[in-house]
Amino acid sequence: FAKPNLTITGSWFGTSGVKVVVNGQDISSRITQQTDNSISLKGNKKKLNLVKGANQLVITNSGGAAANFTFNF
């Protein structure tokens, strides 16, 4: 997390239509760029729903495939 941007890297995201949920809140409207291998979001910690400690991340691509992750902030 490099304020105010969060970049998520991985694979099989698709080039559009991804849904990003952090700690139960859909933050997909914060996506500024999406490729098959990365998703960039813009916003401060509050707007991205990030909390100190463990954060739950769920990414769902346009095909409906979902991936769950936990990361510490």
Side-chain angles (χ1 to χ4, degrees), residues 2-25:
K3 185 181 177 183
N5 297 304
L6 173 66
T7 301
I8 302 164
T9 57
S11 58
W12 302 101
F13 294 140
T15 56
S16 65
V18 75
K19 180 178 178 182
V20 179
V21 176
V22 174
N23 298 321
Q25 180 179 332

Side-chain angles (χ1 to χ4, degrees), residues 6-70:
L6 173 66
T7 301
I8 302 164
T9 57
S11 58
W12 302 101
F13 294 140
T15 56
S16 65
V18 75
K19 180 178 178 182
V20 179
V21 176
V22 174
N23 298 321
Q25 180 179 332
D26 186 347
I27 59 166
S28 303
S29 64
R30 299 246 155 243
I31 296 172
T32 57
Q33 184 177 13
Q34 178 185 346
T35 69
D36 198 39
N37 300 318
S38 71
I39 301 166
S40 296
L41 302 104
K42 185 171 185 171
N44 61 28
K45 290 183 285 189
K46 185 175 181 179
K47 289 183 179 179
L48 295 175
N49 204 35
L50 297 171
V51 296
K52 203 172 200 179
N55 290 270
Q56 182 70 35
L57 172 66
V58 180
I59 300 173
T60 307
N61 68 14
S62 60
N68 297 297
F69 303 94
T70 301

